[in-house]
């Protein structure tokens, strides 16, 4: 089954039975970062599709928005994410809030702090981000643009 986000919304509201039960064998979500929040209508529709396999493709899943990253992970592997990262409240407390707060304070203090203080803040952000990376590594396959360098025409 291949469809746009608009068609998915339409099917979910008008033909919900055909879309949800039985669902497709696999759902591949291109531009996965469009499912920005667990409260978003499209995310709720996607959550209801009965499928055993989910794959989300996104060029930039983080973009400084850890709540979107959590939503994407939660959609792909809900039970695994709950056990690895906990509920969204726990995720916010452990990762989103501290990383955002540290990142923001580093920007504010950049002009008034010594390089050692900035280095300490950056180190704290990196430690928290490394922990998040290690917990999500089984669910994320990251590839950068260098993978395609030899296949793309020169600019």
């Amino acid at each position: 089954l291949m469809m746009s986000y608009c068609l998915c919304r339409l099917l979910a509201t008008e033909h919900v039975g055909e879309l949800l039960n039985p669902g497709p064998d696999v759902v591949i979500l291109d531009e996965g970062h469009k499912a920005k929040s667990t409260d978003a209508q499209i995310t709720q529709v996607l959550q209801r599709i009965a499928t055993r396999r989910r794959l989300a493709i996104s060029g930039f899943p983080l973009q400084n928005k850890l709540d979107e990253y959590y939503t994407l992970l939660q959609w792909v592997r809900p039970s695994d994410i709950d056990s690895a990262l906990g509920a969204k409240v726990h995720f916010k407390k452990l990762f989103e809030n501290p990383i955002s707060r540290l990142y923001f304070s580093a920007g504010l203090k950049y002009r008034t702090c010594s390089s050692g203080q900035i280095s300490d803040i950056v180190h704290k952000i990196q430690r928290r981000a490394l922990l998040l990376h290690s917990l999500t590594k089984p669910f994320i396959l990251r590839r950068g643009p260098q993978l395609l360098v030899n296949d793309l025409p020169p600019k």
Side-chain angles (χ1 to χ4, degrees):
L1 175 65
M2 182 185 292
M3 69 181 115
S4 68
Y5 285 100
C6 292
L7 183 58
C8 181
R9 277 192 200 101
L10 179 67
L11 282 174
T13 56
E14 296 184 13
H15 303 281
V16 70
E18 292 87 353
L19 180 63
L20 302 180
N21 193 12
D25 290 333
V26 63
V27 175
I28 300 172
L29 185 60
D30 191 18
E31 301 293 332
H33 57 274
K34 288 185 179 181
K36 294 179 181 267
S37 158
T38 52
D39 298 329
Q41 180 188 19
I42 190 64
T43 307
Q44 292 176 3
V45 168
L46 291 167
Q47 288 285 14
R48 294 173 53 207
I49 298 174
T51 183
R52 291 181 29 213
R53 295 175 192 90
R54 296 176 176 184
L55 175 67
I57 301 169
S58 181
F60 300 98
L62 280 175
Q63 292 186 340
N64 301 325
K65 297 179 182 176
L66 290 174
D67 59 331
E68 292 178 14
Y69 187 62
Y70 180 85
T71 299
L72 195 60
L73 291 169
Q74 182 66 29
W75 178 75
V76 172
R77 301 286 292 266
S79 60
D80 292 328
I81 294 307
D82 283 344
S83 63
L85 301 177
K88 189 168 186 172
V89 169
H90 180 73
F91 177 80
K92 282 181 80 81
K93 183 178 177 181
L94 190 60
F95 297 105
E96 185 180 343
N97 292 343
I99 290 172
S100 298
R101 195 169 29 252
L102 286 167
Y103 187 77
F104 181 70
S105 70
L108 284 178
K109 294 179 180 178
Y110 180 72
R111 295 182 183 193
T112 59
C113 288
S114 68
S115 61
Q117 290 170 315
I118 295 293
S119 178
D120 183 49
I121 292 171
V122 169
H123 183 68
K124 287 178 182 176
I125 294 170
Q126 287 174 333
R127 282 197 327 239
R128 195 59 61 112
L130 186 61
L131 175 60
L132 177 59
H133 173 73
S134 68
L135 291 171
T136 59
K137 192 174 182 178
F139 319 113
I140 301 292
L141 178 61
R142 298 183 70 187
R143 296 293 181 256
Q146 68 276 8
L147 181 69
L148 300 173
V149 167
N150 294 331
D151 298 322
L152 296 174
K155 289 185 176 183

